[in-house]
Amino acid sequence: GQQLNQSPQSMFIQEGEDVSMNCTSSSIFNTWLWYKQDPGEGPVLLIALYKAGELTSNGRLTAQFGITRKDSFLNISASIPSDVGIYFCAGRRRIQFYFGTGTSLTVIP
Amino acid sequence: KAGVTQTPRYLIKTRGQQVTLSCSPISGHRSVSWYQQTPGQGLQFLFEYFSETQRNKGNFPGRFSGRQFSNSRSEMNVSTLELGDSALYLCASSPGTAGALAKNIQYFGAGTRLSVL
């Protein structure tokens, strides 16, 4: 099925740095979601976005629903070691969910 | 309220065998979707069940099948296992509403790690 274009594929950053990742699609979505997955576990929902232009924060995480409804970004401020994991974006159109290929984040203490 | 529960967490099978995985969705959720996750392949959509009916299907062979019960619990079956079926199988539940304004979000279980030897 269709997958979203998520970038970067991987990131290696120093503890304390800010992180930015994004997802793009050629199609519009009604909902954008961001998940974090730890090794051997299922993805955990971080942020849900429902309207174009919406900006939502969850602690050090901030995500935005793009104005065109075809993209979204996730920012993590002041990264800490427990931010390590794979971050997935997902877009919903009607009943179907489409997933990005993931961004693997490594935080170096 | 309780999250999505998948059982078992780990399974080891041999080629040719069959396996059944179980998923209990969040209370009140009517939609259950199944995904296969392998390294480098991301999340591959298998199928979705809504109110006991398969509503959507991915591009997997007929060896992969599923069903949903009246209490929304779902099972996924894989017959004639192949080595390439080794993966993390994830179940996600959601309210299942389709409208553009619907707050229809998928919540995932911890997954079942299937190893085929």
Side-chain angles (χ1 to χ4, degrees), chain B residues 45-60:
Chain B
F45 173 70
L46 282 153
F47 31 65
E48 183 221 3
Y49 285 86
F50 180 80
S51 293
E52 301 180 66
T53 301
Q54 188 180 86
R55 186 165 68 168
N56 208 354
K57 188 177 186 303
N59 189 26
F60 276 80

Side-chain angles (χ1 to χ4, degrees), chain A residues 4-70:
Chain A
L4 306 177
N5 300 310
Q6 185 172 351
S7 64
Q9 191 173 20
S10 61
M11 302 182 73
F12 294 82
I13 61 168
Q14 294 283 342
E15 183 177 355
E17 288 184 352
D18 296 343
V19 171
S20 184
M21 59 190 79
N22 68 80
C23 266
T24 61
S25 172
S26 57
S27 305
I28 63 173
F29 290 103
N30 304 123
T31 303
W32 280 96
L33 307 168
W34 285 92
Y35 295 87
K36 177 176 183 269
Q37 186 177 26
D38 292 327
E41 300 292 330
V44 173
L45 181 68
L46 298 173
I47 292 179
L49 303 158
Y50 302 105
K51 295 187 300 186
E54 180 181 353
L55 185 71
T56 297
S57 293
N58 178 7
R60 295 176 296 104
L61 278 60
T62 302
Q64 185 159 28
F65 194 137
I67 291 291
T68 64
R69 296 171 64 191
K70 295 181 179 181

Side-chain angles (χ1 to χ4, degrees), chain B residues 54-72:
Chain B
Q54 188 180 86
R55 186 165 68 168
N56 208 354
K57 188 177 186 303
N59 189 26
F60 276 80
R63 299 185 297 108
F64 292 82
S65 63
R67 59 178 176 169
Q68 187 179 34
F69 302 95
S70 58
N71 61 358
S72 292

Side-chain angles (χ1 to χ4, degrees), chain B residues 36-44 84-89 113:
Chain B
Q36 181 194 66
Q37 187 178 37
T38 54
Q41 291 296 316
L43 285 160
Q44 301 294 316
D85 295 334
S86 294
L88 180 67
Y89 288 88
R113 171 73 63 186

Side-chain angles (χ1 to χ4, degrees), chain B residues 95-107:
Chain B
T97 44
L101 300 179
K103 295 197 173 184
N104 188 18
I105 303 172
Q106 284 193 333
Y107 296 89

Side-chain angles (χ1 to χ4, degrees), chain B residues 4 9 29 31 46-47 49 52 83 108 111:
Chain B
V4 180
R9 286 297 311 274
H29 283 188
S31 170
L46 282 153
F47 31 65
Y49 285 86
E52 301 180 66
L83 294 179
F108 285 87

